[in-house]
Amino acid sequence: MSAAGFDLYVPGDSWLHRVDARVKLAFVVGALALLLVWSNLALFVVALGLIHLALASAGVPGARLARVWRTLAPFLLLIVLLWPLFNRGGTPVLLEAGPLRITGRALLGGVAAALRIAALSFVFVLWLSTTDQRQIVRGFVRLGLPFGLGMALTIGLRFIPTFAGVFQTVSDAQQARGLVLTGGALRRARAMIPILIAALVTVLRLSEQLGWTLEARAFGAPVPRTTLHDLAMRPVDWLLLVLVAGGAGVLLWLSLTAGLGRGLLWPVV
């Protein structure tokens, strides 16, 4: 069974793949802070454009990015449609019928909210597409996360796509044997029961094998653990860390003090 379709990581040797995982984590934190503070449409579009350029330079396939957009599209469209219903202030008034009042500013606010969610999502796509799961967890451990929690995080990241692959494999096997998953919601729910049972049995077997593997590798032994591939900050990583932290800090300070990015249509409130 293959879980590759559920894993965002794209193996490669691009400049982004070589950047230390802790530097990329600092970028994620800074980008999230800025995107949550900003409200400007133009800045969201610029942020999305820069993230997509970085993803392209890292060799992330366009088909994978299109799949992320397809997954986000219904949610983003729902935000754009519902936002004017709850935020009825501003001008010009585009539609007014009884309690329903839709204004142009509210509609633009919905677009800005959707773009913010898209930008936040692609920040994580950039991080997870160019950073191996072991490097992510190792970065957290080097930053002070206990090794046991790091191992738990590793197992979670590793086996979520595995479990999804198990469910898909069992579903395909059951349908090949004549299981019908069409019809009403109640009929589909009943048809999912044999799939869930078979997937649960498979997952329990995998959990038992995982326990044996951890025992064989002396997990929990009260001795200092060694690492085959440890993280090491290079001079270029330190330079990027200074640029990321300094740039994000300056932009955040300007946003909070001078209103940079706080206006919906103009860069400054």
Side-chain angles (χ1 to χ4, degrees):
M1 67 191 71
S2 173
F6 301 93
D7 193 358
L8 282 176
Y9 179 64
V10 178
D13 192 34
S14 69
W15 67 278
L16 268 175
H17 286 83
R18 293 192 296 269
V19 173
D20 191 277
R22 291 163 289 182
V23 178
K24 283 183 273 192
L25 179 60
F27 165 77
V28 170
V29 173
L32 293 183
L34 289 172
L35 290 172
L36 291 174
V37 169
W38 286 346
S39 301
N40 186 258
L41 280 167
L43 289 179
F44 290 146
V45 173
V46 170
L48 277 170
L50 292 176
I51 292 172
H52 279 70
L53 285 176
L55 286 167
S57 69
V60 178
R64 179 162 297 195
L65 301 182
R67 185 169 59 192
V68 175
W69 274 112
R70 285 195 300 271
T71 303
L72 290 174
F75 182 54
L76 300 180
L77 182 59
L78 192 63
I79 293 176
V80 174
L81 293 177
L82 293 181
W83 193 275
L85 301 180
F86 296 95
N87 183 6
R88 296 183 292 177
T91 55
V93 177
L94 302 178
L95 176 64
E96 188 167 11
L100 180 63
R101 186 174 187 268
I102 298 178
T103 65
R105 185 171 183 83
L107 191 60
L108 289 176
V111 174
L115 289 176
R116 175 189 279 124
I117 296 298
L120 290 171
S121 301
F122 275 97
V123 166
F124 284 101
V125 170
L126 177 65
W127 180 35
L128 298 176
S129 296
T130 60
T131 313
D132 183 73
Q133 294 171 355
R134 288 171 295 183
Q135 292 182 355
I136 292 175
V137 177
R138 188 60 189 161
F140 280 120
V141 172
R142 290 294 300 273
L143 290 173
L145 186 72
F147 180 80
L149 293 179
M151 177 61 72
L153 182 58
T154 303
I155 293 172
L157 291 173
R158 175 65 185 87
F159 280 89
I160 286 175
T162 300
F163 293 160
V166 167
F167 184 84
Q168 186 63 49
T169 301
V170 172
S171 177
D172 293 342
Q174 295 282 14
Q175 291 181 69
R177 290 172 172 83
L179 180 65
V180 178
L181 295 179
T182 58
L186 183 59
R187 180 176 178 179
R188 288 199 303 271
R190 288 176 178 173
M192 294 291 287
I193 293 176
I195 298 177
L196 292 174
I197 293 174
L200 181 60
V201 171
T202 304
V203 166
L204 289 176
R205 289 176 179 173
L206 289 175
S207 301
E208 187 178 28
Q209 294 172 4
L210 175 63
W212 293 338
T213 302
L214 292 176
E215 235 182 287
R217 297 184 179 182
F219 177 72
V223 294
R225 303 195 66 89
T226 59
T227 303
L228 179 60
H229 300 292
D230 202 359
L231 299 180
M233 291 282 286
R234 303 168 299 161
V236 66
D237 292 322
W238 286 110
L239 176 60
L240 286 173
L241 180 60
V242 171
L243 292 176
V244 167
V250 169
L251 290 175
L252 189 59
W253 178 77
L254 290 175
S255 298
L256 297 176
T257 58
L260 177 66
R262 306 296 294 275
L264 181 61
L265 298 177
W266 304 101
V268 180
V269 174

